[in-house]
Amino acid sequence: MINRNEVPAELLADVKNQSNVTWDDDATDNKFRGLIAAASVYLDSKGGATLDYEADGFPRTLLMEYVRYARDEALDVFENNYMSLILAMQNERAVARYAESTKQTET
């Protein structure tokens, strides 16, 4: 989970850029920090752990899209529209956990 007061500056800039927000002001930045924090809480719960939103992959993509939907007041359809990516993220994490567990038992 990302705390709204601890959103990495680069992640904030990337999310704003993805949303075509090219200006800087405190109110806009605070709104985006709140949306990023809310997205991380939601996606961490779907992923079953604290996810990495700074690396390219499903968590980052889903965070960007969650923020877009939240900003456009369309969260009621986010999960339905992105279920396949949410499931893909969960499967990717499950496979990685399984691979890690089998590697440990082989040694």
Side-chain angles (χ1 to χ4, degrees), residues 19-53:
S19 299
N20 295 317
V21 173
T22 58
W23 60 91
D24 288 316
D25 67 76
D26 290 339
T28 300
D29 288 356
N30 286 335
K31 181 171 185 160
F32 274 96
R33 282 187 193 99
L35 294 173
I36 290 167
S40 74
V41 169
Y42 171 81
L43 293 170
D44 286 356
S45 74
K46 295 295 180 185
T50 300
L51 304 173
D52 182 0
Y53 301 106

Side-chain angles (χ1 to χ4, degrees), residues 7-84:
V7 172
E10 188 173 321
L11 180 60
L12 175 62
D14 289 347
V15 171
K16 286 175 57 181
N17 182 58
Q18 180 74 20
S19 299
N20 295 317
V21 173
T22 58
W23 60 91
D24 288 316
D25 67 76
D26 290 339
T28 300
D29 288 356
N30 286 335
K31 181 171 185 160
F32 274 96
R33 282 187 193 99
L35 294 173
I36 290 167
S40 74
V41 169
Y42 171 81
L43 293 170
D44 286 356
S45 74
K46 295 295 180 185
T50 300
L51 304 173
D52 182 0
Y53 301 106
E54 296 185 69
D56 290 333
F58 290 121
R60 182 180 177 89
T61 299
L62 286 164
L63 179 124
M64 298 281 188
E65 293 304 317
Y66 183 101
V67 168
R68 182 171 66 92
Y69 272 63
R71 185 169 178 245
D72 293 342
E73 299 179 11
L75 277 180
D76 56 325
V77 294
F78 173 80
E79 188 167 327
N80 198 38
N81 289 348
Y82 283 91
M83 184 58 65
S84 63

